[in-house]
Amino acid sequence: GGTTDTYLRGIAPIVSRHLGQTLIVENRAGASGAVALAWLKTQRPDGTAIAGVTDASFRISLVQQVQYDPRNDFSFLAATSTLNFGWAVLKDSPIRDLRDLVERARARPEGISFAGGGTPTNPPFGMRLLEHRAGVKFLFVPFAGGGQMINAVMARDVDLVFDALGALAGMIDGGTFRALAVAAEERFPRWPDVPTAREQGFDVAVDLPCGFLAPRGMAPDLVRVFEAAFRKAADDPEHTTLLGRLNLGPFWRDAAAYEAHVRQSLDTL
């Protein structure tokens, strides 16, 4: 599996230790987590089945039909991590920060090009959101993978890249790339000096938090048991190491805050 699957398999033994019960990870992949949530909806809310998902499992309901209501079919337990995205340029690029990028794009509509994943008709959501919020237009150059995006920036075929920060970590840490901003609610721990888009005046937060759900109707006392175990796991040094190894950011939300986050995300996207 990918980063999320690796993360879930990594956090499971940490949570198990604090829960006093063994969590067994079963991969039910497909449709950005929609397959797993359709299954979870049919299970008993007795604690024998929970799911680890990213916000993609909720966002997909906005663009296609799914067999569950993300707002009302689940009991929210906690969120513990997030996959962060951001903007990066070559170290010697004249683009100083996100504000400067937007001003250049405003002066030259579609004159600033960026590499990203997707198709010509489906560019990265973070860039679409920046265009919408800032009232500018960039030139999207789609690529199939992170390596191709990096090569395009290196060859100066494009002005910048928008991608998962983990995929850009080596180039940024090595000093070849410079991060302009993080498209997340919080700064990326690996580079605490890199501001978020919101800190630079643009309401663009499109990270992919990872959280945990149970079927609707789980008893409040049982929700609190899981919530407490996830809280301890999130604070565990082993979890910090796991986040660093996978280039993920921390994203602690208790049950109520996680549900509020999901509802707000669905209402504002």
Side-chain angles (χ1 to χ4, degrees), residues 70-95:
R71 292 179 176 86
N72 299 309
D73 283 343
F74 306 104
S75 297
F76 291 81
L77 304 178
T80 53
S81 70
T82 187
L83 179 64
N84 293 139
F85 293 81
W87 297 264
V89 295
L90 280 173
K91 184 179 181 179
D92 62 358
S93 169
I95 301 171

Side-chain angles (χ1 to χ4, degrees), residues 133-149:
R133 295 276 161 80
V136 298
K137 187 70 175 176
F138 297 96
L139 177 63
F140 173 41
V141 183
F143 291 91
Q148 294 178 2
M149 298 180 210

Side-chain angles (χ1 to χ4, degrees), residues 101-113:
L101 173 67
V102 167
E103 289 306 313
R104 290 171 184 269
R106 183 168 287 119
R108 298 170 52 210
E110 295 193 327
I112 303 295
S113 60

Side-chain angles (χ1 to χ4, degrees), residues 115-163:
T119 65
T121 57
N122 186 31
F125 182 71
M127 288 300 292
R128 291 175 62 188
L129 192 58
L130 179 62
E131 288 179 329
H132 174 71
R133 295 276 161 80
V136 298
K137 187 70 175 176
F138 297 96
L139 177 63
F140 173 41
V141 183
F143 291 91
Q148 294 178 2
M149 298 180 210
I150 289 172
N151 289 338
V153 177
M154 292 284 291
R156 302 181 189 272
D157 293 331
V158 295
D159 296 299
L160 70 148
V161 59
F162 180 82
D163 198 15

